[in-house]
Amino acid sequence: MSTVTTTDDVLIGADADAVALADRVIAGLGLPADGIEVADPATGERIASVEDIDVGGALQAVATAHEAGLAWARTTPRQRAEVLHAWHALLVERAEDLAHLISREMGKPLAEARAEVKYGSDFVRWYAEEAVRPAGNFREAPDGGASIVTRRAPVGLAVLITPWNFPLAMATRKIAPALAAGCAAVIKPADLTPLTTLFAVQLARQADVPGELVQIVTTSNASKFSETVLRDERVRKVSFTGSTQVGRTLLRLASDTVLRASMELGGNAPFIVFDDADLDRAIAGALAAKLRNGGQSCIAANRFYVQNGIADAFAEGLAERMRDVSVGAGLGTGTALGPLIDDRAVRRMRALTDGAVALGAQLLAGGTELGSAGHFFAPTVLDRVPAAAEVADIEIFGPLAAIQRFDSEAEVVARANATRLGLAGYVFSESIDRALNVADRLETGLVGINQGLPSNAAAPFGGVKQSGLGREGGGEGLEEYQSVRFYNIARRETH
Ligand code: NAD
């Protein structure tokens, strides 16, 4: 049973100095007195307002970025790399400011915000390095008579739409490859967390990214924005990270102008633990894959499948560690789990927990709202979750681990793949053969093998099935902003 209570004193409060630091960064953004309100998820209080840009403003942003993009496309790879290196240096220099800002507007613990700054900055450095790598190749026509040279051209103006859960990393993962490829960008951050994007782009401009090249459109009317902007023929690319539902809408819009599209959508990651797994490693991996960002990550462990021989020890061990997690404001000292993004998310955790318990699941930890303000839910473990429970199959997006049990390798692979989504998967086994065989059969874009944190700027992140199209990170992430062309050079004998 859960040992948590619902009183305020279980929550760690925000550190006043840390809040003051974040607020100094916000004050430096030059924001309007009113507009779209941004709230601190730890308290629900308004911390800033950002401009609510209408369709006319969005089209102006398209025009400005498009014009700047024509000149940027003609810069050399080295020039683009230097600017990106300078941006990276500023992101590193201002890492503490960025981390405090991320915690303040999104709620994640400061230690995780620092990790996001490192991860988000890594994309800028990576694409500074990729910008100067060879962007084409050479081949002979098989029947002779021609040489074929390929090269990559910037795809053109890119519209970038990002979610609230990683406000820096989701933005740099798109802006950096777009700039490296020679494209201009119009970015629409989530209205829940626009401040980090505003600050990061301010730093980009200080680093000599041309002022007009990256335009930010903060708006409360996302659908009007996409309906207008994606139909503008100056736009040649859309890159979206968010829910599968919105992704489908954007793909439909993209079809009107046959827009290049990258879609990083929802996940439903299986986390598979075999009897031969190292128990401590599996529990540590589960905590990382479940609690990072409070479970509000598209690659969060979503469906725990644990083999019968190890299931009791795993469930008890995980529950014990989850009960010890300190919950509080992201800017509180020692906070390991912050608030959820809004009250709707808290109500969802409540309903998923109650629904599973009503069907016979065992509540081993948590299961309660915490605090009287803010959006807190206790780290929760449900064991023996029946397959019929809603929590057994939907994207949970919160600090709730739902454990199901299995017998055989074949069975678990079939259950893991019985979903429309396919972003991440996790396999824990000390047998390298078993781990790789199962990883090969999972219908996902990425697999964490004996580890719960698979993301890396050098890796091609992305999903299969309805989790998305295209890849971000790695060399593949740059190709999303390039179109391949070839020159066919006629050859004939000379004497
Ligand atoms: P969301 O789809 O509601 O919103 C994402 C972004 O799209 C926000 O900026 C939002 O304002 C905007 N948006 C919403 N409707 C729009 C429309 N009609 N036209 C244009 N823009 C629109 O998702 P969310 O709640 O912010 O994020 C959670 C979802 O994102 C989860 O499903 C999660 O799995 C997914 N996600 C995926 C990845 C990935 O890389 N695959 C990463 C992070 C989050």
Side-chain angles (χ1 to χ4, degrees):
M1 280 302 294
S2 160
T3 56
V4 293
T5 69
T6 54
T7 59
D8 273 351
D9 36 83
V10 296
L11 296 174
I12 298 168
D15 176 78
D17 289 343
V19 170
L21 196 167
D23 288 351
R24 277 198 299 280
V25 181
I26 294 172
L29 293 174
L31 298 172
D34 43 38
I36 309 170
E37 286 202 355
V38 183
D40 179 343
T43 60
E45 288 164 11
R46 173 191 169 279
I47 52 173
S49 294
V50 298
E51 209 181 338
D52 193 356
I53 297 175
D54 63 11
V55 167
L59 285 174
Q60 184 55 51
V62 167
T64 306
H66 178 255
E67 185 64 30
L70 299 177
W72 185 249
R74 290 194 301 274
T75 56
T76 66
R78 179 64 73 200
Q79 286 169 320
R80 299 198 288 274
E82 299 290 2
V83 165
L84 287 169
H85 276 301
W87 186 21
H88 175 254
L90 270 180
L91 291 168
V92 171
E93 191 183 313
R94 305 295 296 275
E96 277 300 284
D97 289 350
L98 278 160
H100 282 72
L101 185 56
I102 292 171
S103 257
R104 182 93 161 110
E105 71 167 338
M106 188 271 150
K108 70 182 70 180
L110 192 53
E112 283 194 43
R114 289 183 175 123
E116 183 182 343
V117 174
K118 163 86 174 59
Y119 179 51
S121 310
D122 274 355
F123 285 106
V124 179
R125 178 171 52 187
W126 175 265
Y127 287 110
E129 293 162 350
E130 285 293 295
V132 293
R133 302 282 168 253
N137 63 34
F138 169 84
R139 61 196 90 171
E140 300 292 352
D143 55 359
S147 294
I148 295 168
V149 175
T150 75
R151 52 171 312 176
R152 300 218 173 114
V155 71
L157 177 58
V159 169
L160 315 175
I161 303 174
T162 52
W164 49 265
N165 57 352
F166 290 90
L168 179 69
M170 297 302 98
T172 54
R173 192 160 87 166
K174 296 183 191 302
I175 298 172
L179 296 185
C183 301
V186 173
I187 180 162
K188 193 207 86 58
D191 51 3
L192 291 165
T193 59
L195 306 177
T196 305
T197 308
L198 288 165
F199 185 45
V201 171
Q202 192 179 74
L203 294 179
R205 290 178 184 153
Q206 283 171 28
D208 284 344
V209 169
E212 295 77 23
L213 193 62
V214 181
Q215 295 288 312
I216 306 181
V217 177
T218 47
T219 177
S220 60
N221 197 340
S223 52
K224 196 96 188 139
F225 167 84
S226 53
E227 280 158 22
T228 310
V229 163
L230 297 191
R231 289 197 173 111
D232 189 298
E233 292 191 9
R234 289 168 293 192
V235 172
R236 291 311 317 140
K237 164 88 194 178
V238 58
S239 177
F240 170 71
T241 298
S243 60
T244 297
Q245 191 190 353
V246 173
R248 280 192 204 102
T249 304
L250 298 180
L251 280 172
R252 273 194 288 271
L253 287 172
S255 71
D256 281 355
T257 52
V258 193
L259 213 49
R260 279 274 295 273
S262 304
M263 296 281 141
E264 298 285 356
L265 309 177
N268 185 8
F271 187 103
I272 303 171
V273 184
F274 284 97
D275 284 346
D276 61 7
D278 175 321
L279 182 64
D280 292 341
R281 213 178 183 190
I283 291 172
L287 277 169
K290 183 73 251 181
L291 286 193
R292 174 172 174 246
N293 225 32
Q296 303 167 112
S297 153
C298 51
I299 59 167
N302 205 54
R303 292 170 292 152
F304 284 87
Y305 293 116
V306 187
Q307 205 165 17
N308 282 312
I310 198 173
D312 285 342
F314 177 86
E316 255 319 311
L318 181 62
E320 199 179 313
R321 297 282 298 273
M322 292 278 264
R323 285 186 215 112
D324 283 347
V325 168
S326 43
V327 184
L331 290 175
T333 309
T335 295
L337 176 70
L340 288 164
I341 190 68
D342 57 19
D343 198 44
R344 203 168 51 124
V346 176
R347 288 199 303 272
R348 194 174 137 84
M349 293 310 115
R350 161 95 277 141
L352 289 173
T353 305
D354 291 349
V357 170
L359 287 176
Q362 292 172 2
L363 180 65
L364 299 187
T368 53
E369 295 89 344
L370 296 177
S372 51
H375 316 299
F376 294 95
F377 199 80
T380 297
V381 179
L382 291 165
D383 191 15
R384 297 184 182 276
V385 171
E390 195 185 5
V391 75
D393 193 41
I394 61 151
E395 189 179 24
I396 297 170
F397 238 60
L400 194 176
I403 301 173
Q404 304 175 59
R405 297 171 177 226
F406 72 91
D407 280 320
S408 72
E409 188 177 306
E411 175 204 340
V412 78
V413 169
R415 287 169 67 185
N417 287 338
T419 164
R420 287 185 185 147
L421 301 175
L423 186 56
Y426 300 87
V427 182
F428 282 73
S429 166
E430 289 299 292
S431 155
I432 188 72
D433 289 321
R434 184 195 293 278
L436 288 175
N437 289 343
V438 171
D440 283 352
R441 287 155 61 206
L442 286 182
E443 295 166 358
T444 62
L446 57 130
V447 182
I449 296 178
N450 290 323
Q451 80 130 309
L453 296 173
S455 298
N456 193 293
F461 187 102
V464 299
K465 296 159 88 175
Q466 295 188 25
S467 284
L469 301 169
R471 294 293 179 264
E472 291 191 315
E476 293 86 348
L478 185 61
E479 291 170 15
E480 300 283 321
Y481 296 90
Q482 296 172 321
S483 46
V484 179
R485 317 170 64 202
F486 73 89
Y487 302 148
N488 182 319
I489 305 163
R491 306 287 300 272
R492 67 182 172 204
E493 293 293 322
T494 52
H495 302 284

